[in-house]
Amino acid sequence: MEVISGFEDLEAFEVLHPAEQNVPFVFNSPHSGRHYPDAFLRASRLDKTAIRRSEDAFVDELFQSVVPLGAPLLKARFPRAYLDVNREPYELDPKMYDDRLPSYANIRSIRVAGGLGTIARVVGEAQEIYQGRLCVREALNRIETIYKPYHQTLRRLLAQTHVAFGYAILIDCHSMPSAIKTSDGGPRPDFILGDRYGTSCAVQLVDAATDILRGMGYRVSRNKPYAGGFITEHYGRPVKGLHALQVEINRGLYMDETHTRKHAGFDTLTRDLEKLAKALVAAQGECFFPDALAAE
């Protein structure tokens, strides 16, 4: 089976640029894409509602206020079920294809085993996406035409920011099901901040984000069960002045998960995320990275 790309006449992602970037932040929403190509839907066994179970619905809109603050926002239009850029470029499941994968494919990662590789096999609670097998050419085409350009764009935004300010702060924006299970059985968090267990960003950044959110009354946890995916791990290089923090938001705060639509909490959360961004912007600098400023 071959699935036609579906993005020939539509840009697969977009950068919302501020009139002038005057803060060292880059925001990224890689899983909020909601354009499902017709050919992709025809190849799926799921209906238009079920296939959205893995989508970080409306997260790009929740964070759109960062652009007037002076930060660029990169957002996907392609859905996570179609292609996941928060994975290695070739985390591919050989059982999904009717021909042999290239030798450089990572077929044994934990994410592939769970059906959530670069080309996902499942959404939500292990619901199979495809009616039949794909051809390898289809997977490689998605990677070449969307995955690689997406990451080239993200690298360019971070490099430009690093040159301009001496360091760059990537906020990787996601959402999580409200039924998220906690290891201790305690209250479900409103936010989970992921810094790869202290390796992807300065501790001052995650401390400040935690304090700001808790000050607004939200329950916040760190790294469990989401410590940050490929993007956080790959781009977070604090010793080089590149800081990456993953922010996971409980979907119950802002949307009806059954019908994938906003509810009354959306506007409140949007305002609070703007407050978070403003507070982080105000606190960064000598508070976070005095060594970077001293070197300028």
Side-chain angles (χ1 to χ4, degrees):
M1 178 188 298
E2 182 167 0
V3 180
I4 301 170
S5 170
F7 287 92
E8 296 85 358
D9 300 318
L10 175 69
E11 293 294 329
F13 55 89
E14 178 184 10
V15 181
L16 301 182
H17 290 282
E20 178 183 1
Q21 185 178 353
N22 48 31
V23 297
F25 287 81
V26 173
F27 287 77
N28 180 47
S29 182
H31 288 163
S32 57
R34 44 191 172 271
H35 174 71
Y36 290 80
D38 290 340
F40 174 58
L41 292 174
R42 288 195 297 271
S44 174
R45 64 176 65 196
L46 303 176
D47 61 32
K48 291 183 178 180
T49 298
I51 204 168
R52 300 186 69 180
R53 295 288 162 79
S54 292
E55 181 186 315
D56 288 349
F58 314 118
V59 164
D60 54 335
E61 296 181 37
L62 285 170
F63 282 93
Q64 202 155 307
S65 64
V66 304
V67 180
L69 297 180
L73 169 64
L74 172 60
K75 63 175 190 175
R77 288 198 178 108
F78 59 89
R80 181 185 186 184
Y82 182 80
L83 174 72
D84 193 342
V85 291
N86 199 24
R87 299 289 181 261
E88 297 173 24
Y90 298 101
E91 286 189 80
L92 301 173
D93 184 347
K95 297 188 295 295
M96 291 177 61
Y97 303 97
D98 58 13
D99 43 356
R100 187 181 298 273
L101 290 169
S103 60
Y104 50 79
N106 180 355
I107 64 174
R108 294 184 174 86
S109 78
I110 293 175
R111 293 177 288 211
V112 167
L116 295 171
T118 315
I119 308 295
R121 177 172 53 80
V122 302
V123 299
E125 298 299 320
Q127 294 178 286
E128 295 279 340
I129 295 173
Y130 297 99
Q131 297 182 46
R133 295 194 175 201
L134 304 176
C135 70
V136 170
R137 186 170 69 255
E138 170 62 24
L140 298 182
N141 179 65
R142 295 184 199 179
I143 293 165
E144 289 296 325
T145 62
I146 300 177
Y147 181 103
K148 290 184 177 180
Y150 191 96
H151 279 277
Q152 288 167 359
T153 299
L154 183 55
R155 281 195 299 272
R156 184 174 67 252
L157 289 170
L158 290 170
Q160 291 170 344
T161 302
H162 191 276
V163 168
F165 297 93
Y167 57 93
I169 306 164
L170 171 63
I171 306 296
D172 203 39
C173 309
H174 298 264
S175 68
M176 58 188 173
S178 62
I180 180 70
K181 295 179 180 178
T182 58
S183 57
D184 59 4
R188 294 183 176 113
D190 298 315
F191 288 85
I192 298 176
L193 303 179
D195 65 352
R196 301 296 302 178
Y197 298 97
T199 65
S200 70
C201 68
V203 67
Q204 295 94 328
L205 175 61
V206 68
D207 283 348
T210 300
D211 291 344
I212 294 163
L213 288 167
R214 285 179 177 166
M216 290 190 281
Y218 291 107
R219 293 188 298 270
V220 183
S221 64
R222 296 194 193 184
N223 291 314
K224 294 181 180 180
Y226 304 118
F230 173 78
I231 289 172
T232 309
E233 182 178 18
H234 183 72
Y235 292 101
R237 296 288 184 270
V239 296
K240 296 184 178 180
L242 297 169
H243 303 264
L245 175 65
Q246 179 174 284
V247 177
E248 292 272 3
I249 304 170
N250 189 314
R251 292 174 191 155
L253 292 174
Y254 71 93
M255 65 176 281
D256 173 346
E257 294 167 89
T258 301
H259 301 98
T260 317
R261 61 191 179 202
K262 304 170 191 174
H263 63 45
F266 182 88
D267 291 340
T268 299
L269 181 59
T270 300
R271 288 192 295 269
D272 285 346
L273 290 173
E274 183 177 9
K275 292 176 186 176
L276 170 67
K278 286 180 176 178
L280 289 176
V281 167
Q284 60 83 28
E286 289 190 21
C287 176
F288 283 178
F289 315 114
D291 294 340
L293 287 179
E296 287 184 310

